[in-house]
Amino acid sequence: MTRIKDVAALAGVSTATVSRVLNDKTVSPDLAAAVRRAVTELGYTPNRTARSLRRQHSELIALVLPDIENPFFTSLARGVEDVARTAGLSVVLCNTDEDVETQEHYLRIADDENMAGVIVAPAGPSGFLARLTERHRAVVVVDRAVADDVDQVLFDNEDLGRRATQALLDRGHRRIACVTGPRETPTAEARADGWRAALTAAGLPAPDDLLVHANYRVDGGEAAMTRLLAAAEPPDAVLATNNLVGVGALRMLSAERGPRAQLGIIGDLPFATSHIDDTFLLRLHPREMGLTAARLLVSRIRGEAGPAQRVVQPSRPVLLGASPS
Amino acid sequence: MTRIKDVAALAGVSTATVSRVLNDKTVSPDLAAAVRRAVTELGYTPNRTARSLRRQHSELIALVLPDIENPFFTSLARGVEDVARTAGLSVVLCNTDEDVETQEHYLRIADDENMAGVIVAPAGPSGFLARLTERHRAVVVVDRAVADDVDQVLFDNEDLGRRATQALLDRGHRRIACVTGPRETPTAEARADGWRAALTAAGLPAPDDLLVHANYRVDGGEAAMTRLLAAAEPPDAVLATNNLVGVGALRMLSAERGPRAQLGIIGDLPFATSHIDDTFLLRLHPREMGLTAARLLVSRIRGEAGPAQRVVQPSRPVLLGASPS
DNA sequence: ACTGTGGCAGAAATCGATTACAGCCGCAAG
DNA sequence: CTTGCGGCTGTAATCGATTTCTGCCACAGT
């Protein structure tokens, strides 16, 4: 492959000058022109490994996600990718499968590779996060809050739960169940808290048998929905607090010949196979969350950012489905 | 950060010896033990950038995909990720958006980063692919055939089209339409060829008005289905030749009050919101395709592979839905 | 005319690992 | 007793860029 010394030789200058031309340092116009000519003639592009070694950081960022098969996260990844590309960065995708050890593994690799930064949707607590920030690495946390002092881009999850529930109340439903994620999952708990708050504010009870903790996947939604519909006194509306659970719930409803229930979902369903006009969708915007996170990361990499900040990703109150009666 | 010289100093040996211990070269047991002790005491892990520079290849592989939001490709990515992880490699995700220039951009980066290898689902022809193979880089092509002499993991697309169509014939349908991808897209054409072949073999006509070239996305499926159902003589069955088009078609059918049609889909619908018991799914297995491709790439990286080979990814003939009458 | 300053280019150090090369030691064979 | 070989180890070269340091030159100020 052509190296910088080849370019230097062809242009009749030193490698230092070639490097300066390529990095926009001051070089006299005539030499610069000669270098550029040599660069295009040889089709030279700098070896990024060597550059990274010297600069002490690469042009890669790690995107550490718990589940790349969830459309929420792929859409987020898409947003990150778009910003990274225009900033000259490439994205290393790391799938943790919600496993903390895998997460630590990838964060350590990001460190060993001298990556420019890390965007992580954390699966549980991470000691490595603190180590990265201590060493002034650019880190941005998305979707799930952590205690560490790092940039974070989050939804106001309790508010989401409250607003989605309120939408169902507005339609006249009174017995509203909530299917949320596992206990100890802060996001799931906060959204359930919002559900409870909305019911309480409306002077309604929020009994425990209307709150189901499912796994946050399609089968969890199916199981939860089955259980709710089989109850002695089934709900007349159900809030699914994430997209996959919503998919499972919808799938159950579409088969069920028994009691019907109005459904509200926090999240989006880009691959719904049925018309979902009678479902409330409180759309999140994972792609925009990815854009926001990546922009934050880029400015931190460039050293333009101040103290760590928490950004609440706005979720425009787009409520699809039948309007309130 | 701790460097190899710190470990060497603590263990009282040279850096060469430390390197040898870490890379399983011959070192006397006592020194090796001392080195290992020092490594764990300092929590040392080698700087991968420096290693890559010296070794002339990194521990990264590029996965170049046309659309990371398509569940087919995320599932494929998942498979690649799994194999890569156990082989000590990390995956750089590159989204080309079906754009050839973006694809070239990423392939060049993979080269400049000295990545260990590349897995690519090509968006159109790529000159860079040839350059990579010339320079003995490990390259595996997935899902879409190219003329280059590289390893490829592909489906037998015409056979897929034929089998899916046959399944619909077996159910007694005679007027079977086909919604496929854009013209000039080899995969889409091949599957349509299979559809035509199956009809012809059954002694049926395959008229042009039953073949719709849509874009290979959800809205393409919706538009095509709308058009087919509005026809003077609508089909009694429709073959959707990819997953997203299938989603669009199903969505249309679920709303349509007009003529019904049996649907067959090549691909899988992991996020279907309706029960699709009355739909034929010819499931592909993108995750396994990813596994296969990544294993092939790993063996090529290790220099264990011979001449370039084409692997036909088996798609087990799992036809869901109502059995033939 | 002399000194100071700033712009620019080249030589060489540097990043942190791996590895070619050379040297040392001990043992076996002649 | 000498030679040769094999097994280990350390020294130093190496990967390919960036960046510090040094020196040259031209121009301005006194």
Side-chain angles (χ1 to χ4, degrees):
Chain A
M1 194 53 181
T2 101
R3 291 151 304 180
I4 196 171
K5 60 162 66 167
D6 303 322
V7 177
L10 180 59
V13 299
S14 71
T15 61
T17 298
V18 176
S19 172
R20 280 191 274 255
V21 171
L22 267 49
N23 293 285
D24 292 323
K25 315 274 182 178
T26 55
V27 174
S28 72
D30 49 345
L31 285 194
V35 168
R36 274 187 237 286
R37 198 158 39 236
V39 165
T40 54
E41 181 169 337
L42 297 175
Y44 168 78
T45 48
N47 180 310
R48 295 161 85 108
T49 305
R51 168 181 285 180
S52 301
L53 178 59
R54 176 65 223 221
R55 288 215 181 134
Q56 297 288 51
H57 68 85
S58 71
E59 279 136 317
L60 300 173
I61 63 176
L63 177 57
V64 184
L65 299 176
D67 178 14
I68 50 171
E69 296 193 70
N70 183 335
F72 176 87
F73 287 117
T74 57
S75 178
L76 192 152
R78 173 62 194 259
V80 169
E81 238 262 347
D82 289 349
V83 172
R85 167 126 168 66
T86 64
L89 299 168
S90 302
V91 178
V92 178
L93 188 69
C94 308
N95 190 52
T96 66
D97 236 342
E98 299 281 4
D99 180 62
V100 178
E101 282 203 29
T102 308
Q103 175 169 295
E104 296 292 286
H105 168 79
Y106 277 124
L107 290 176
R108 173 172 275 278
I109 285 183
D111 195 24
D112 293 341
E113 286 270 1
N114 285 323
M115 292 194 194
V118 173
I119 295 177
V120 50
S126 164
F128 220 94
L129 226 47
R131 282 192 42 187
L132 287 175
T133 53
E134 270 167 25
R135 297 181 40 207
H136 306 290
R137 297 279 191 174
V139 176
V140 174
V141 164
V142 286
D143 186 49
R144 305 169 172 192
V146 294
D148 304 69
D149 183 38
V150 292
D151 289 318
Q152 309 196 27
V153 183
L154 307 166
F155 296 113
D156 180 342
N157 287 304
E158 185 175 343
D159 186 55
L160 292 180
R162 200 181 298 119
R163 272 162 53 202
T165 307
Q166 187 60 48
L168 295 171
L169 287 168
D170 290 346
R171 275 209 89 198
H173 299 288
R174 285 296 172 268
R175 190 165 167 77
I176 302 173
C178 175
V179 182
T180 194
R183 282 175 220 281
E184 313 285 316
T185 302
T187 303
E189 298 284 15
R191 292 181 184 177
D193 288 345
W195 162 79
R196 198 177 290 108
L199 291 187
T200 306
L204 294 170
D208 279 352
D209 63 313
L210 284 185
L211 177 62
V212 182
H213 290 272
N215 76 46
Y216 246 157
R217 300 191 308 265
V218 175
D219 62 327
E222 291 180 344
M225 203 64 189
T226 308
R227 194 172 120 199
L228 282 171
L229 293 183
E233 198 178 353
D236 55 2
V238 176
L239 172 65
T241 64
N242 94 340
N243 59 343
L244 297 189
V245 162
V247 167
L250 264 173
R251 204 178 282 178
M252 247 18 250
L253 278 179
S254 82
E256 194 61 50
R257 301 271 166 266
R260 308 290 308 171
Q262 166 73 48
L263 196 59
I265 300 176
I266 298 176
D268 202 357
L269 306 179
F271 304 114
T273 53
S274 52
H275 267 265
I276 47 179
D277 287 347
D278 54 348
T279 299
F280 281 110
L281 283 190
L282 178 43
R283 286 212 173 121
L284 306 179
H285 297 276
R287 182 163 178 282
E288 292 183 14
M289 179 174 245
L291 295 176
T292 307
R295 289 195 193 111
L296 209 51
L297 188 76
V298 168
S299 69
R300 192 154 288 282
I301 288 170
R302 294 190 179 144
E304 299 162 0
Q309 53 182 302
R310 286 193 176 210
V311 178
V312 175
Q313 181 70 27
S315 59
R316 307 194 211 97
V318 181
L319 290 169
L320 296 185
S323 51
S325 55
Chain B
M1 196 53 182
T2 101
R3 291 152 304 180
I4 197 173
K5 61 161 64 166
D6 302 323
V7 177
L10 180 58
V13 299
S14 72
T15 61
T17 299
V18 176
S19 173
R20 282 191 271 257
V21 172
L22 267 48
N23 293 286
D24 294 321
K25 317 273 181 177
T26 56
V27 173
S28 72
D30 47 347
L31 284 196
V35 168
R36 276 186 236 284
R37 200 160 37 239
V39 166
T40 55
E41 181 169 335
L42 297 175
Y44 168 78
T45 47
N47 180 311
R48 296 162 85 110
T49 305
R51 167 179 289 180
S52 303
L53 178 59
R54 178 64 224 228
R55 289 212 181 137
Q56 297 289 48
H57 68 85
S58 72
E59 279 135 318
L60 300 174
I61 62 177
L63 178 58
V64 184
L65 299 176
D67 179 12
I68 49 171
E69 296 192 71
N70 183 335
F72 175 87
F73 287 117
T74 57
S75 179
L76 190 151
R78 173 61 193 260
V80 170
E81 238 263 345
D82 289 348
V83 172
R85 167 127 168 64
T86 65
L89 299 169
S90 302
V91 178
V92 178
L93 188 70
C94 307
N95 189 54
T96 67
D97 235 344
E98 299 282 5
D99 180 63
V100 178
E101 283 204 30
T102 308
Q103 175 169 294
E104 296 293 284
H105 167 80
Y106 277 124
L107 290 176
R108 174 173 273 278
I109 286 183
D111 194 24
D112 293 340
E113 285 270 0
N114 285 323
M115 292 194 194
V118 174
I119 295 177
V120 49
S126 165
F128 220 95
L129 225 49
R131 282 192 45 187
L132 288 175
T133 53
E134 271 167 26
R135 301 188 28 215
H136 306 289
R137 298 277 190 173
V139 176
V140 174
V141 164
V142 287
D143 185 49
R144 304 168 174 194
V146 293
D148 304 72
D149 183 39
V150 291
D151 289 318
Q152 310 196 26
V153 183
L154 307 166
F155 296 112
D156 181 343
N157 287 304
E158 185 174 343
D159 186 55
L160 292 181
R162 198 181 299 116
R163 273 161 54 202
T165 306
Q166 187 59 48
L168 295 171
L169 288 168
D170 290 346
R171 274 211 89 197
H173 299 287
R174 285 296 170 268
R175 190 166 167 76
I176 302 174
C178 175
V179 182
T180 194
R183 284 174 217 282
E184 313 287 314
T185 302
T187 304
E189 298 284 16
R191 292 181 184 176
D193 287 345
W195 161 80
R196 196 176 292 109
L199 291 187
T200 305
L204 293 171
D208 280 351
D209 64 313
L210 284 184
L211 176 60
V212 182
H213 289 272
N215 77 44
Y216 247 159
R217 299 193 308 266
V218 175
D219 61 326
E222 291 180 343
M225 203 64 189
T226 307
R227 193 171 120 198
L228 283 170
L229 293 184
E233 200 179 351
D236 57 1
V238 176
L239 172 64
T241 64
N242 96 338
N243 60 344
L244 297 190
V245 162
V247 168
L250 264 173
R251 205 179 281 179
M252 246 20 247
L253 278 178
S254 82
E256 195 60 49
R257 300 274 166 266
R260 308 291 308 171
Q262 167 75 46
L263 197 60
I265 300 176
I266 298 177
D268 202 358
L269 307 177
F271 305 114
T273 53
S274 52
H275 267 265
I276 47 179
D277 286 346
D278 54 349
T279 299
F280 281 113
L281 283 190
L282 178 44
R283 286 210 172 124
L284 306 179
H285 297 275
R287 183 165 178 281
E288 290 181 17
M289 179 173 246
L291 295 175
T292 307
R295 288 195 193 108
L296 208 51
L297 188 76
V298 168
S299 70
R300 194 153 287 282
I301 288 170
R302 294 191 181 141
E304 299 163 1
Q309 53 182 300
R310 286 192 178 213
V311 178
V312 174
Q313 181 69 26
S315 59
R316 306 194 211 98
V318 179
L319 291 170
L320 295 187
S323 52
S325 54

